Amino acid sequence: MKKFLAIMMALTMAFGVAACSSPAEEKTDAPAAETKKTFTVGFDAAFPPYGYLDEATGEYVGFDLSLAQEVCDRKGWELKKQPIDWDAKDMELSSGTIDCIWNGFTINGREDKYTWSDPYVDNTQVYVVAEDAGIAAVADLAGKVVLVQTDSSALHALEGMPEVTDTFGELTQVAEYNTAFMSLEAGAADAVAMDIAVAKYQIESRGGGYVILDEFISSEQYGVGFLLGNDALKDEVETVLYEMVEDGTFAAIAEEWGVSDLVCLGK
């Protein structure tokens, strides 16, 4: 009888241990779920058609974001669209908050500050004025108020053109172009210096009323900017971009966003 009771107690203890064990303990050698890579793109959320907030949908959209999404789809990555303060873009990149700056980002003059993809857009900086302002040439901006975005390519170009800017009544920096056009519409400014694709988008979205002067400020090229030395990630993204050029996807996305006449990758 004592032997029988001892056996029963041992069995009871064994079942109790089994019942208390968790699924994780039972399957300690099961493989962990594969983590999907997140690709975080930093962009100015008020820079259409390259990247901006679509107020109708509440989504961030644009030419550059569509390109980034296609790259992620092909790589099996998850795209994170990260709007940033343009003045803080270097801090965001160096801290690892973002993986790249992809938002109509000018290579010229910054060649040694970032690891760049090949140029994919040829861009021009222009002046936009009200259609009825009586301003037909840059010479007509003498004594006028000209607006430009802070830390923009247009600003950097104008800073190297004192023979032009010294004739302005005032060259004022603004945070983004919606503010600039509000000032232009209210008569508080006479011209806005900006990228031609952004200028065309702003004019079209407002139903006209503005014109682009024939005399441009400067020409430049856009690229995807990565942290200096991050050639591995740059190569991965660039390889997919060239695949998109080869199969026609790049051109289709450019046409969708109205920038077909500006793209230069693979040409």
Side-chain angles (χ1 to χ4, degrees), residues 3-78:
K3 184 175 182 181
F4 174 78
L5 289 175
I7 294 172
M8 291 300 294
M9 289 179 65
L11 289 173
T12 300
M13 292 177 62
F15 279 121
V17 170
C20 292
S21 64
S22 68
E25 291 172 331
E26 293 174 6
K27 300 179 179 180
T28 52
D29 57 346
E34 183 177 348
T35 303
K36 194 172 186 180
K37 174 182 171 63
T38 299
F39 181 57
T40 305
V41 171
F43 67 102
D44 176 353
F47 199 64
Y50 297 98
Y52 65 100
L53 177 64
D54 185 339
E55 294 183 356
T57 64
E59 299 291 330
Y60 292 115
V61 298
F63 174 54
D64 286 349
L65 295 180
S66 290
L67 292 177
Q69 185 64 68
E70 181 67 19
V71 168
C72 287
D73 289 346
R74 296 187 182 207
K75 295 291 292 184
W77 297 345
E78 179 181 352

Side-chain angles (χ1 to χ4, degrees), residues 241-265:
L241 287 175
Y242 275 106
E243 290 173 359
M244 291 161 59
V245 169
E246 289 297 319
D247 64 27
T249 305
F250 192 98
I253 294 174
E255 184 176 1
E256 176 188 354
W257 290 102
V259 296
S260 296
D261 56 335
L262 300 178
V263 297
C264 61
L265 189 68

Side-chain angles (χ1 to χ4, degrees), residues 213-228:
L213 298 185
D214 291 335
E215 298 171 73
F216 63 85
I217 300 169
S218 63
S219 293
E220 61 190 15
Q221 292 184 312
Y222 288 163
V224 186
F226 299 85
L227 187 67
L228 192 64

Side-chain angles (χ1 to χ4, degrees), residues 150-163:
T150 300
D151 198 33
S152 65
S153 299
L155 174 61
H156 296 319
L158 288 171
E159 286 175 337
M161 302 168 63
E163 71 282 1

Side-chain angles (χ1 to χ4, degrees), residues 150-232:
T150 300
D151 198 33
S152 65
S153 299
L155 174 61
H156 296 319
L158 288 171
E159 286 175 337
M161 302 168 63
E163 71 282 1
V164 175
T165 57
D166 286 350
T167 68
F168 297 162
E170 186 179 326
L171 179 63
T172 302
Q173 298 181 37
V174 295
E176 41 84 24
Y177 290 118
N178 287 326
T179 300
F181 271 84
M182 288 173 62
S183 296
L184 197 58
E185 184 177 3
D190 302 288
V192 181
M194 60 196 307
D195 298 55
I196 189 167
V198 183
K200 289 179 177 179
Y201 176 89
Q202 292 283 0
I203 292 171
E204 183 178 347
S205 67
R206 286 170 166 74
Y210 305 92
V211 294
I212 298 172
L213 298 185
D214 291 335
E215 298 171 73
F216 63 85
I217 300 169
S218 63
S219 293
E220 61 190 15
Q221 292 184 312
Y222 288 163
V224 186
F226 299 85
L227 187 67
L228 192 64
N230 194 357
D231 294 273

